[in-house]
Amino acid sequence: MCGLCGMYFCQLVSLASPNSQIAVSVFPAALFLVVAFAGFVVRLPSLPDWLGSWAPIISFARWGFQGLVINEFKGNEKIDYYEIIQMQIPEPYQAFIENFGFEGYSKYDSLPILAICLAILWLATIIPIKFVSFEKR
């Protein structure tokens, strides 16, 4: 689902651009914003309050990443958390998830949110395709 959201996001950027050169120029910056608020580059707890309160919620990449991280690490006995966290703590999985800012969620919480993001991005691309004349561009 995250891949489909990415595809529709690319289409939305290209639809919002007046020509292909601008679309190619704008896309890396737009994609960086999506990825930056997913928790790849900057951990979500370290974002400022004014930014961390809304930006990670609208990033479809965050929900895909969160679902995969929780699915991979929760209940996995093969992982040595000491190598990752570098300290002995009673609940290493919980500390690891809190470090990412994913506490309080399960892997299944990401699916409906990704579905909503997919529907919004799909509608945001289908409506302009139906009603805007792109031949004039």
Side-chain angles (χ1 to χ4, degrees):
M1 268 203 279
C2 195
L4 287 172
C5 285
M7 180 187 71
Y8 286 123
F9 179 74
C10 291
Q11 288 180 348
L12 184 61
V13 169
S14 69
L15 288 171
S17 302
N19 58 43
S20 61
Q21 290 86 8
I22 293 176
V24 170
S25 299
V26 168
F27 178 73
L31 184 64
F32 176 76
L33 293 176
V34 170
V35 171
F37 299 130
F40 300 138
V41 180
V42 179
R43 300 285 187 245
L44 301 182
S46 65
L47 291 173
D49 289 338
W50 64 271
L51 192 58
S53 62
W54 63 271
I57 294 171
I58 63 171
S59 173
F60 62 86
R62 176 255 171 114
W63 299 105
F65 179 57
Q66 175 179 302
L68 291 174
V69 166
I70 292 172
N71 183 56
E72 182 66 27
F73 289 98
K74 186 171 186 174
N76 192 341
E77 302 298 327
K78 296 179 182 178
I79 296 173
D80 183 13
Y81 289 100
Y82 179 72
E83 290 181 16
I84 300 170
I85 301 175
Q86 301 294 326
M87 61 181 157
Q88 293 290 343
I89 51 176
E91 293 184 30
Y93 167 76
Q94 192 62 32
F96 181 72
I97 293 299
E98 286 175 4
N99 185 34
F100 278 103
F102 299 158
E103 68 274 358
Y105 293 101
S106 76
K107 62 184 175 185
Y108 301 109
D109 293 335
S110 298
L111 293 175
I113 297 170
L114 274 173
I116 291 168
C117 290
L118 182 61
I120 290 170
L121 288 168
W122 179 75
L123 285 172
T125 57
I126 293 298
I127 292 171
I129 287 174
K130 296 284 185 189
F131 297 109
V132 175
S133 174
F134 291 101
E135 310 234 342
K136 295 178 184 176
R137 297 199 312 182

